[in-house]
């Protein structure tokens, strides 16, 4: 009788938690839609909400259609996709490394992608018609090389990946890659240097439909794969010994998930520029809202990352309309205090 009551209580608690998480996901989705509507009405050229709605349904002027469909909507969609991709990348890395401070930007993966971008600009320039489609490949190669180096240096057969060692080695690799990038930047001409400087500031340089089409295929493949690995992330977060005892192929699963995280981060920063802290902040916020179960945590991370980058980009476009602030700088302004808060809390 007592066992039946306990099982009944457990089922009721589980249903209540599922309803609560579904409600939280709906709230974050509604917040994303609200940011979407606000962003469509934000910019140097004013469009009222009624003008925006009329233009969306084909009733606006040619100027309004140009502003909305060619300038703002591609940028908004890229901001949402980039935020979701970076957040998922950070969530995977935190789960695999069992380190709440892990992030593709802090670990040097974004720096590796940046090195790939600089190499591409050095040899091919940044204004090529095919840059949108080839740049992610170079960014992925650079990020992959950095990730392999960090993984090899961080991993020990008997201990696995130690969280503190991962952070320290990631910071060291990031510093080395940054030094190499500075040496290469010296060889760039003025146009190439300006392009790289804007990219490093996270200036959302690829804000047109060509870049949306270049980003979508990667994310259309990677998003479903990552979501399908939610149970594997739950197991890996328990530790190598426990995961192995439960029958998981620890090394194989870890490498495939890290490869997906690197690909997500590289393709996103190749299009949007170097944007840090999204992969750190979004998983932390989502984990506080919906808990550590990745089946719910991953969608919540994607939505929270989309909200964060879109909100930062909207503020960047609206705060100084005569001088646009790069989105990456605005994300850093939001993310740096939160990162220091996490560091202070981890010491206590």
């Amino acid at each position: 009788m007592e066992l039946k009551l306990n099982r009944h209580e457990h089922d009721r608690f589980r249903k209540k938690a599922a309803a609560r998480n579904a409600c939280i996901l709906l709230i974050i989705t509604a917040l994303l839609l609200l940011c979407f509507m606000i962003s469509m009405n934000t910019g140097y050229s004013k469009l009222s909400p009624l003008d925006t709605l009329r233009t969306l349904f084909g009733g606006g002027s040619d100027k309004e259609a140009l502003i909305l469909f060619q300038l703002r909507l591609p940028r908004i969609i890229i901001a949402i996709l980039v935020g979701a991709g970076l957040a998922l990348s950070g969530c995977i890395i935190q789960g695999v490394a069992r380190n709440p401070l892990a992030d593709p930007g802090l670990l040097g993966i974004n720096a590796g992608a940046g090195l790939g971008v600089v190499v591409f600009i050095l040899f091919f320039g940044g204004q090529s018609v095919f840059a949108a489609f080839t740049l992610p490949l170079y960014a992925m190669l650079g990020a992959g090389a950095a990730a392999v180096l960090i993984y090899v240096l961080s991993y020990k057969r008997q201990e696995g990946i130690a969280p503190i060692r991962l952070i320290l080695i990631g910071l060291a690799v990031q510093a080395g890659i940054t030094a190499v990038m500075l040496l290469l930047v010296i060889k760039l001409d003025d146009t190439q240097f300006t392009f790289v400087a804007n990219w490093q500031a996270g200036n959302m340089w690829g804000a047109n439909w060509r870049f949306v089409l270049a980003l979508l295929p990667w994310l259309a493949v990677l998003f479903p794969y990552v979501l399908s690995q939610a149970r594997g992330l739950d197991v890996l977060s328990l530790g190598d010994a426990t995961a192995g005892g439960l029958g998981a192929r620890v090394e194989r699963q870890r490498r495939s998930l890290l490869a997906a995280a690197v690909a997500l981060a590289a393709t996103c920063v190749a299009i949007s520029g170097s944007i840090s802290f999204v992969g750190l902040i979004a998983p932390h916020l989502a984990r506080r809202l919906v808990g550590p179960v990745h089946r719910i945590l991953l969608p919540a991370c994607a939505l929270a990352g989309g909200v964060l980058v879109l909100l930062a980009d909207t503020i960047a476009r609206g705060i100084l309309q005569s001088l646009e602030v790069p989105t990456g700088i605005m994300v850093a302004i939001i993310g740096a205090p939160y990162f220091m808060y996490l560091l202070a809390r981890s010491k206590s």
Side-chain angles (χ1 to χ4, degrees), residues 9 21 55 60 104 122 150-151 197 221 235 254 287 323 329 348:
E9 288 291 331
N21 289 336
T55 306
L122 184 63
I150 295 167
Y151 182 87
V221 172
V235 174
R254 179 189 285 126
R287 197 174 288 110
L323 180 63
I329 293 177
S348 58

Side-chain angles (χ1 to χ4, degrees), residues 201-235:
N203 205 17
M204 284 286 179
W205 68 281
N208 58 57
W209 291 111
R210 188 171 74 249
F211 291 90
V212 174
L213 293 176
L215 185 59
L216 270 177
W218 295 100
L219 300 188
V221 172
L222 292 168
F223 277 14
Y225 172 75
V226 170
L227 294 176
S228 71
Q229 298 300 308
R231 188 182 296 273
L233 275 168
D234 288 337
V235 174

Side-chain angles (χ1 to χ4, degrees), residues 239-253:
D240 291 0
T242 305
L246 292 173
R249 297 181 177 180
V250 176
E251 281 307 307
R252 181 178 177 182
Q253 200 157 22

